[in-house]
Amino acid sequence: MSSRSAFFDSRAREWEKNCYPPPVRERLEELILEFRVKTGTRVLDIGTGPGVLIPYLKRLVGSDGTVCAFDLSLEMARQAGSKPLSSKDAVVQADVHRMPFGGDVFDQAICFAAFPHFADPGRALGEMSRVIHSGGHIVIAHLLSRKELSMHHAAHSAVEGDVLPDDSRMTELFSKAGLELLEIADVPGRYLARGVKRT
């Protein structure tokens, strides 16, 4: 087990309680509106952690939509699997660099609070692009700015080098993955990069 895996596995049970108190939840509610998730769509929750987004996404996609979530950490995936899910939804343990899904399966892919932890961000984005439809959207989001996130991760040796690419590099990564980067919002308390799969 790598130090990164051990870091997340050991914190899985308390992660949501420790990291998402009510004031943070309020900010998350606002951020999720920026994801523009539509009713009846198929959404992939990438690096779901303990499933923080699942209840929100379920509410947005409605009874006709589906949510599929995965995390590399088995303990995180177990926590996520305890969230209320329908028979159409799924939570699995998986690696973003080798997703166990067919191509053109999802309408939208959302990567919340996970992208800096991916060993090969280019390959990860390529996989995200592969599994969504042409015209489908990818969102990378955090409740911290790029600078704030770097400072936050610096306090933990297992993830101290996990940072978001700068705007130029992110644009390049999206392009190489067959995605058009539509926007990057990088402000105190929020980071959001949104792209669309080219048709």
Side-chain angles (χ1 to χ4, degrees):
M1 180 185 294
S2 71
S3 60
R4 183 180 280 106
S5 295
F7 175 86
F8 289 108
D9 282 350
S10 67
R11 290 164 171 77
R13 291 195 178 196
E14 302 298 320
W15 191 276
E16 205 161 354
K17 182 178 76 173
N18 292 338
C19 299
Y20 294 92
V24 177
R25 290 278 180 184
E26 292 178 12
R27 293 175 51 225
L28 182 58
E29 288 268 11
E30 295 175 0
L31 179 65
I32 285 171
L33 296 177
E34 300 296 322
F35 296 172
R36 303 177 190 174
V37 175
K38 297 179 180 178
T39 302
T41 54
R42 290 173 288 182
V43 177
L44 180 63
D45 179 8
I46 297 166
T48 187
V52 175
L53 289 189
I54 290 175
Y56 302 96
L57 296 177
K58 288 290 298 173
R59 185 179 69 206
L60 292 171
V61 301
S63 59
D64 293 330
T66 58
V67 174
C68 181
F70 74 88
D71 201 278
L72 182 62
S73 163
L74 178 59
E75 293 304 319
M76 287 290 192
R78 283 175 173 160
Q79 293 298 311
S82 69
K83 296 292 190 292
L85 299 164
S86 76
S87 59
K88 297 186 294 184
D89 304 318
V91 176
V92 298
Q93 181 191 24
D95 185 345
V96 69
H97 305 95
R98 295 180 295 277
M99 293 188 202
F101 312 114
D104 305 323
V105 174
F106 300 98
D107 301 302
Q108 188 173 16
I110 296 170
C111 182
F112 171 66
F115 194 78
H117 304 305
F118 301 154
D120 186 340
R123 184 170 177 180
L125 269 171
E127 279 288 274
M128 294 181 209
S129 178
R130 179 182 67 80
V131 301
I132 64 170
H133 298 302
S134 293
H137 282 240
I138 287 174
V139 172
I140 295 170
H142 293 267
L143 284 171
L144 296 170
S145 69
R146 181 176 179 274
K147 181 178 180 180
E148 290 167 339
L149 192 64
S150 295
M151 294 172 64
H152 175 68
H153 285 168
H156 305 281
S157 60
V159 295
E160 62 184 344
D162 296 359
V163 298
L164 283 164
D166 63 27
D167 291 0
S168 176
R169 177 61 176 155
M170 189 66 89
T171 301
E172 179 185 2
L173 289 169
F174 267 67
S175 180
K176 287 183 177 179
L179 303 163
E180 179 184 354
L181 184 58
L182 301 176
E183 65 172 312
I184 294 179
D186 185 9
V187 297
R190 177 176 296 190
Y191 179 92
L192 188 141
R194 183 197 319 279
V196 62
K197 185 174 178 178
R198 299 189 187 106
T199 56

